[in-house]
Amino acid sequence: MKEHVYKKVELVGSSENSIEDAVNNALAKAAETIRGMRWCEVVETRGYIQENRLAYWQVTVKIGFTVED
């Protein structure tokens, strides 16, 4: 089995619909410039309040990707 080295970046995704959509929005944006994404870690979840109601979710994720040789 080959040994791997990973790097992590931290992003905040948002969505009006759900926490899962907020994570997927962050992953989709990261995939535009990062190759070799392998895992993600949700480190914070918040809701943005507007007019006394939840307007959208904000989710901070750390994304791990393989460092290329």
Side-chain angles (χ1 to χ4, degrees):
M1 181 174 184
K2 185 177 176 182
E3 295 179 1
H4 297 280
V5 174
Y6 298 95
K7 182 167 179 70
K8 291 193 292 187
V9 296
E10 186 172 275
L11 300 173
V12 178
S14 63
S15 171
E16 294 178 344
N17 299 317
S18 69
I19 294 168
E20 185 176 351
D21 283 351
V23 172
N24 283 322
N25 289 340
L27 293 174
K29 191 63 173 176
E32 293 177 9
T33 57
I34 298 173
R35 293 188 308 271
M37 293 192 309
R38 297 292 179 244
W39 49 267
C40 72
E41 171 186 359
V42 176
V43 294
E44 285 184 316
T45 304
R46 331 177 253 292
Y48 181 78
I49 300 169
Q50 191 172 37
E51 297 178 9
N52 299 321
R53 295 182 55 95
L54 179 71
Y56 58 89
W57 292 101
Q58 296 175 329
V59 179
T60 303
V61 294
K62 291 183 180 180
I63 300 169
F65 58 96
T66 306
V67 176
E68 296 177 356
D69 294 331

